[in-house]
Amino acid sequence: MKVSVDYSYVGDHGVGEIFMHAVALQNDGWSSRVPGTGFPDTAISVGEGRATINITKLENTGNAISTHVKVCMVSIRDRSAFVCKNFPYTKSWE
């Protein structure tokens, strides 16, 4: 699954080590990540931009259906996700 996010970041959590993460979920809760998928990221910077993240599933991890994608801005320095948003999106993972 390719997730593209247009963002605006003012730098209030620092100017380095800021990332956009995305995760495929089986419902809207953090603990419902699709088995075999990760929480990939891409670095972002102060200003406006577009972040594109590829969520992949490992082979031989079983079939699943995701119903949401959670996207978060994360500060590595603060070890926190400071902005998150859930987007409803259904995908079959085979």
Side-chain angles (χ1 to χ4, degrees):
M1 173 188 302
K2 184 179 281 191
V3 179
S4 292
V5 180
D6 292 325
Y7 70 88
S8 179
Y9 173 58
V10 297
D12 53 335
H13 290 271
V15 296
E17 297 186 321
I18 304 296
F19 293 86
M20 186 77 70
H21 284 263
V23 62
L25 302 174
Q26 293 177 314
N27 59 55
D28 63 356
W30 273 111
S31 63
S32 71
R33 187 177 82 208
V34 172
T37 61
F39 193 38
D41 63 53
T42 189
I44 62 171
S45 57
V46 174
E48 294 182 357
R50 174 172 282 182
T52 300
I53 303 159
N54 290 312
I55 302 172
T56 59
K57 183 174 172 292
L58 298 173
E59 293 182 26
N60 302 320
T61 55
N63 297 337
I65 295 176
S66 58
T67 61
H68 292 79
V69 176
K70 182 178 280 257
V71 178
C72 297
M73 283 187 187
V74 175
S75 167
I76 300 301
R77 181 189 71 197
D78 297 341
R79 297 182 182 169
S80 68
F82 57 90
V83 174
C84 289
K85 180 153 177 127
N86 270 357
F87 297 92
Y89 183 78
T90 302
K91 177 178 172 38
S92 177
W93 298 84
E94 298 175 3

